[in-house]
Amino acid sequence: MTTVLRRLRSELFPTRGDGLLSIALLSLLALAGVGFLRWAFFQAQWLVIRANATLFAVGRYPAEQQWRLWLLVGLLAAATGLSWGVLRSHPRRDRTGRLWPRNDRVAVAVLVLAGLWGPWALGLPLHLQARWWGLLALLLLIRWLAGRHGRRLGPRGLRLVALIWPVLYLSGMVLISGGLGLVAVPPSEWGGLLLTLVEASFAILLCFPLGVLLALGRRSDLPLLRWGSVVYIEFIRGAPLITLLFLGQNILGFLLPGGLAPDRVWRAAWVLTFFAAAYLAEAVRAGLAAVPRGQFEAARSLGLSYPQALGKVVLPQAMRVALPAMVGQFISLLQDTTLLSLIGLMELLGTARTVMANPAFLGKNAEVYLTLAVLFWCCCAALGLGSRALERRLDPQTIPSAS
Amino acid sequence: MSQPSAETMIEARAVEKWYPNGFQALRGADLTVRRGEVVVIMGPSGSGKSTFIRTFNALEDFQKGSITVDGIALSNDLRNIDAIRREVGMVFQQFNLFPHLSVLENLTLAPVLVRRRPKADVERQARALLERVGIAEQADKFPGQLSGGQQQRVAIARALCMEPRILLFDEPTSALDPEMVREVLEVMQALANDDITMVVVTHEVKFARQVAHRVVLMSEGVVVEEAEPEVFFTNPSHQRTRKFLDQIL
Ligand SMILES: Nc1ncnc2c1ncn2[C@@H]1O[C@H](COP(=O)(O)OP(=O)(O)OP(=O)(O)O)[C@@H](O)[C@H]1O
Ligand SMILES: [Mg+2]
């Protein structure tokens, strides 16, 4: 305790002048904080959020089909718990693996607090609150079990666990949109956080391979490929996303024959994908440029084919360099989905705008925007945390050789 | 020293190469290497030594002349190139180990991927090779954790793991501190006693004298002199060679 105090003192009050400045800043902060808390607890009327919680979560998704989304969330919780626990039970070599490192204990605390408080604060009916608590318990239980027994999985089992995610994504899409015996729920009925996440995840997943291909194309020896990639990348990067979105709504309908033309939601998702791919390509290109040419030559001289040399030697190294920039792209992509409200999609911001336009909730903009900001912040924080964990795992814990 | 057989392993005839910027790096280079032979290539900087041996495994293309490696003609046919690369290993000045893979994985990657051999087999062989180059205990480290000399020995073991019939060395000791040069040369000398064919670009005179069957001098994109080591270093027939030797001896 005293060390903390001493450190605070040496950082805040090293000299008299600095001390005065610190006091001034601290009091400003305190003032702002108190003002904010007063507003949040006494003035703000959170009814606008409570009354529209479902709308913010899933839009106009039909109530009698919402069990499918609950099921999806349940599967997500289970898969998260499983991967998390298995990851911890297989520490990277040369690293002492603790089953519950401090970060994990903090994460559990945050999860428990948010999981208990959130549904209550939203004023959900008791059976829905209980459902969230059940999901939380499921996640933690599987995390605990997987952490305890994950060791027994061989490399085969590990690969299977990793395979859960693409399978889950595809089945999630089926659960959301219907098909395979489920009643179809057209995209026009999706909304809120659900639509935001569908659009963002679709674009993130597809822009990745596309961006890698574009980056490779830009470095290719074939002039046609190289110039094609350059023109594409520079064209996309030169246009504001919103114009592309409007363009996409109008053009994609003409370009593709009638039945194939995707509806508005998917059209927007494709535009987002093509847009993000151009930026991603530049991040990947920087990563590729950071891999010395000798790596490719060494791989080729060992007899690896071009795709093998790329996939096993060059790209893994390039990705490690490009990862931070790529995640930055993903985060701005997530935030760019708010532009979809301008072309009339009911994602989070679009939903928010209809709610605020409702005469019953007039003048409640601050509450709504704050909630939106927090939601986006949570999603971006999750992306950031995940990427940092990935970065640490990809690090061969060495300075790369000086070659 | 084992004696080379009469069988030809590499035959390069009047090879000419232009780099994309128009610079002609090879101006009719000739070389014949027999099976089991150790040939050392010397020559001033920029004379085209690297370019020449890199054409042997198609890391560089060439425009005129012909190259035949182990009976396979190097042409633009991609299948031939793949076949040749499997037979020819290469060791680089900068080691070029894969930093994201452990030492063992550096060795096993290609045999498993290219030769489709069972992983357990290859691992056993890889450990034996690491033993042979004297770094068995480093198998699970990453390249960045090794000294330069150790890295270069891993690179040699990595090339050997593909069981090539020919090994090309491009200045394998030039990037090493003097005290590490010896450990790498010793490994190379031990290799030379097997029947593997070696083409070595190096300025290590002692190595050339003790190990090479033949030493050649390149200058301005052609092979100027070709002789047994004793003759090459004591009584070369070309003025160019004498000038070069004056500079390095
Ligand atoms: N990619 C390239 N593009 C253009 N010119 C090149 C390229 N690579 C090499 N050269 C030129 O070709 C000539 C031969 O180069 P090379 O690397 O084969 O020489 P070297 O004999 O190996 O020299 P060193 O002893 O310095 O390694 C040099 O003049 C060099 O400048
Ligand atoms: Mg060279």
Side-chain angles (χ1 to χ4, degrees):
Chain A
M1 200 57 208
T2 47
T3 55
V4 173
L5 277 181
R6 209 172 307 137
R7 220 178 105 200
L8 269 182
R9 202 170 133 198
S10 71
E11 281 182 8
L12 293 176
F13 308 102
T15 68
R16 184 168 298 174
D18 290 345
L20 284 178
L21 197 64
S22 296
I23 291 179
L25 282 175
L26 280 178
S27 25
L28 257 176
L29 264 177
L31 228 63
V34 168
F36 173 76
L37 289 178
R38 257 226 313 266
W39 174 79
F41 282 104
F42 299 114
Q43 272 171 305
Q45 295 184 347
W46 296 105
L47 182 67
V48 59
I49 305 299
R50 287 188 193 175
N52 297 298
T54 312
L55 208 58
F56 278 117
V58 299
R60 307 215 169 275
Y61 204 90
E64 70 281 4
Q65 297 297 333
Q66 279 173 16
W67 62 268
R68 285 152 47 171
L69 304 180
W70 283 104
L71 177 60
L72 179 56
V73 176
L75 290 174
L76 271 173
T80 306
L82 183 66
S83 307
W84 184 5
V86 167
L87 224 60
R88 282 288 178 264
S89 67
H90 286 259
R92 253 198 87 90
R93 68 194 130 187
D94 319 353
R95 195 170 280 182
T96 52
R98 302 245 312 272
L99 215 46
W100 290 97
R102 205 179 69 197
N103 283 352
D104 286 25
R105 280 176 280 153
V106 172
V108 168
V110 170
L111 271 177
V112 168
L113 281 180
L116 292 180
W117 175 78
W120 172 80
L122 281 174
L124 295 182
L126 204 57
H127 71 279
L128 288 189
Q129 284 193 38
R131 210 176 274 181
W132 281 110
W133 298 337
L135 287 169
L136 180 66
L138 178 74
L139 193 158
L140 294 179
L141 180 72
I142 294 189
R143 159 70 177 88
W144 179 71
L145 283 175
R148 263 193 93 158
H149 302 294
R151 266 272 147 106
R152 292 191 208 152
L153 289 175
R156 255 259 181 77
L158 276 183
R159 236 168 291 150
L160 276 181
V161 171
L163 204 66
I164 289 181
W165 287 99
V167 171
L168 185 59
Y169 189 79
L170 290 179
S171 31
M173 279 298 174
V174 172
L175 278 175
I176 292 170
S177 61
L180 298 183
L182 291 171
V183 184
V185 178
S188 53
E189 294 179 6
W190 312 347
L193 185 60
L194 171 71
L195 184 58
T196 295
L197 291 182
V198 166
E199 295 273 348
S201 62
F202 179 88
I204 285 175
L205 285 178
L206 284 185
C207 80
F208 178 68
L210 213 63
V212 172
L213 286 180
L214 280 169
L216 291 176
R218 190 160 187 170
R219 289 165 58 94
S220 157
D221 290 334
L222 303 174
L224 195 69
L225 220 66
R226 190 169 59 241
W227 287 113
S229 307
V230 169
V231 167
Y232 176 86
I233 291 171
E234 296 308 332
F235 170 74
I236 296 276
R237 296 206 311 161
L241 175 57
I242 186 68
T243 59
L244 294 175
L245 281 169
F246 278 118
L247 206 65
Q249 293 299 320
N250 296 320
I251 285 193
L252 277 183
F254 290 121
L255 283 184
L256 299 168
L260 271 179
D263 82 313
R264 286 165 4 107
V265 166
W266 290 120
R267 250 183 258 177
W270 278 111
V271 173
L272 275 181
T273 305
F274 290 134
F275 178 79
Y279 286 84
L280 203 75
E282 290 299 284
V284 174
R285 188 166 70 113
L288 286 172
V291 180
R293 185 157 178 79
Q295 290 289 310
F296 183 73
E297 289 178 347
R300 294 292 270 156
S301 75
L302 283 166
L304 270 66
S305 66
Y306 181 87
Q308 286 171 334
L310 217 56
K312 296 285 181 179
V313 174
V314 178
L315 276 179
Q317 296 180 56
M319 284 309 153
R320 219 175 69 225
V321 178
L323 192 66
M326 277 172 25
V327 173
Q329 284 306 321
F330 293 157
I331 286 176
S332 46
L333 177 61
L334 184 66
Q335 295 169 348
D336 284 345
T337 57
T338 48
L339 286 176
L340 299 181
S341 66
L342 296 185
I343 57 168
L345 294 195
M346 286 298 137
E347 46 65 70
L348 269 175
L349 188 61
T351 307
R353 280 154 44 113
T354 56
V355 166
M356 290 182 295
N358 182 340
F361 303 112
L362 227 48
K364 297 288 171 286
N365 297 10
E367 288 85 343
V368 171
Y369 283 130
L370 186 66
T371 308
L372 241 57
V374 170
L375 271 178
F376 272 105
W377 183 84
C378 289
C379 295
C380 294
L383 269 178
L385 281 177
S387 89
R388 232 162 305 149
L390 191 63
E391 228 172 294
R392 244 173 288 132
R393 250 186 134 67
L394 289 178
D395 180 7
Q397 41 204 257
T398 51
I399 322 100
S401 62
S403 55
Chain B
M1 208 190 299
S2 65
Q3 281 312 304
S5 70
E7 190 185 337
T8 302
M9 276 307 256
I10 302 175
E11 173 141 51
R13 285 281 152 268
V15 178
E16 296 187 46
K17 171 178 176 84
W18 284 262
Y19 275 108
N21 65 359
F23 179 81
Q24 185 174 9
L26 297 178
R27 303 163 179 267
D30 290 293
L31 185 68
T32 305
V33 182
R34 283 170 300 157
R35 182 197 192 108
E37 196 176 22
V38 178
V39 174
V40 163
I41 301 182
M42 294 190 147
S45 178
S47 56
K49 306 176 299 288
S50 299
T51 308
F52 196 33
I53 68 165
R54 285 158 61 89
T55 57
F56 298 167
N57 65 348
L59 281 184
E60 300 287 353
D61 59 357
F62 56 95
Q63 282 75 35
K64 283 192 183 161
S66 70
I67 298 179
T68 311
V69 178
D70 199 11
I72 309 169
L74 253 180
S75 59
N76 288 331
D77 188 341
L78 291 179
R79 260 170 316 166
N80 279 1
I81 290 181
D82 282 345
I84 284 172
R85 285 203 178 125
R86 261 175 269 141
E87 303 304 322
V88 183
M90 186 149 193
V91 175
F92 301 85
Q93 183 176 358
Q94 299 293 344
F95 330 135
N96 294 348
L97 293 181
F98 306 135
H100 62 301
L101 301 178
S102 73
V103 165
L104 193 68
E105 289 163 340
N106 262 277
L107 266 66
T108 56
L109 179 72
V112 170
L113 221 55
V114 178
R115 294 221 192 269
R116 303 194 174 285
R117 291 172 46 195
K119 191 157 185 186
D121 259 20
V122 181
E123 269 179 16
R124 216 170 308 121
Q125 185 199 3
R127 285 187 193 280
L129 279 170
L130 288 174
E131 180 92 55
R132 193 166 144 199
V133 299
I135 36 177
E137 64 302 342
Q138 316 283 6
D140 295 316
K141 288 199 180 164
F142 284 87
Q145 298 167 307
L146 304 184
S147 75
Q150 291 172 327
Q151 290 195 47
Q152 193 60 299
R153 285 184 282 158
V154 172
I156 294 173
R158 177 176 73 177
L160 288 175
C161 209
M162 277 297 280
E163 301 177 335
R165 312 180 73 180
I166 303 170
L167 260 187
L168 308 174
F169 293 82
D170 191 359
E171 306 205 27
T173 57
S174 305
L176 297 177
D177 293 337
E179 67 267 30
M180 294 169 185
V181 169
R182 199 169 52 97
E183 63 189 48
V184 171
L185 289 181
E186 275 168 6
V187 168
M188 290 170 60
Q189 181 151 16
L191 274 180
N193 290 328
D194 300 351
D195 90 323
I196 194 161
T197 309
M198 290 169 54
V199 181
V200 186
V201 175
T202 184
H203 295 301
E204 299 290 336
V205 174
K206 203 169 136 223
F207 175 84
R209 285 202 142 157
Q210 289 177 356
V211 181
H213 295 104
R214 237 165 357 118
V215 183
V216 307
L217 183 89
M218 279 190 80
S219 174
E220 292 173 15
V222 290
V223 172
V224 182
E225 170 119 22
E226 242 187 286
E228 289 186 357
E230 267 327 294
V231 181
F232 184 93
F233 288 110
T234 54
N235 189 21
S237 46
H238 287 78
Q239 187 60 37
R240 276 252 189 64
T241 317
R242 262 176 236 140
K243 240 168 85 191
F244 174 73
L245 289 176
D246 281 349
Q247 276 164 7
I248 65 162
L249 288 176

